[in-house]
């Protein structure tokens, strides 16, 4: 099957947006960012949406933005850390394109993601760690798992491209 859309999934700080930018450049596609689309639609940043309307409202928007983008092809979608955790979203994504889990060790994520309020679910450190462990189960449903962490964005991109070439035979 020829892949014409890639979804990057994984925890906060895994590098989904950076890899989406680099991979889309490499493929001559476009990057799409679920959080960015939500913010553009609401004219507010994610933390303000969480604070003002709550997480359930945010999750509904996340689903709606994901569905809106279904007709769009030749894009690399950077999902939010929670997008692929929802079973219905997971099914939509796995039917629509190639899901790739950027798997990064917890220690690295703790260093990368500051509890500065920009990510509401990274504020409480013990909760952040519990969430990490709980979510691994969901991310495992991605079709491809690549190791992040110490590797460069370039290396990750090349691994994904190699997999896509293999798949297209
Ligand atoms: C979330 C991750 C964030 C953003 C929101 C919720 C999550 O995206 O969607 O703060 O539930 O893990 P990033 O993974 O891009 O930080």
């Amino acid at each position: 099957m020829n892949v014409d859309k890639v979804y990057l999934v994984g925890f906060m700080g895994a590098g989904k947006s950076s890899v989406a930018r680099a991979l889309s450049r490499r493929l001559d596609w476009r990057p799409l960012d679920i959080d960015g689309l939500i913010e553009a639609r609401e004219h507010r940043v994610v933390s303000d949406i969480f604070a003002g309307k709550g997480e359930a409202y945010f999750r509904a928007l996340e689903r709606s933005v994901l569905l809106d983008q279904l007709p769009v092809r030749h894009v690399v979608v950077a999902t939010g850390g929670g997008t692929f955790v929802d079973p219905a979203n997971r099914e939509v994504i796995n039917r629509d394109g190639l899901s790739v889990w950027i798997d990064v060790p917890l220690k690295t994520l703790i260093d990368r993601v500051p509890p500065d309020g920009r990510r509401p679910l990274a504020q409480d450190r013990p909760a952040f760690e519990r969430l990490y462990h709980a979510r691994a189960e969901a991310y495992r449903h991605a079709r491809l798992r690549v190791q992040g962490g110490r590797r460069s964005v370039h290396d990750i991109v090349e691994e994904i491209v190699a997999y896509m070439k293999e798949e297209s035979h």
Side-chain angles (χ1 to χ4, degrees), residues 105-147:
L106 177 59
K107 223 173 133 309
T108 311
L109 297 172
I110 290 173
D111 292 342
R112 277 192 198 168
V113 180
D116 59 5
R118 278 180 46 218
R119 290 180 170 98
L121 300 180
Q123 290 281 80
D124 174 338
R125 290 281 121 167
F128 182 83
E129 296 187 14
R130 282 196 301 275
L131 201 59
Y132 174 87
H133 294 297
R135 285 179 167 182
E137 200 42 56
Y139 298 143
R140 269 180 224 292
H141 294 275
R143 252 170 60 204
L144 174 65
R145 175 181 183 173
V146 299
Q147 292 302 321

Side-chain angles (χ1 to χ4, degrees), residues 12 16 35 46 50 58-59 62 80-82 119-121 135:
M12 293 170 262
K16 302 180 292 290
D35 285 340
V46 167
F50 263 73
F58 175 83
R59 296 300 171 199
E62 187 173 47
R119 290 180 170 98
L121 300 180
R135 285 179 167 182

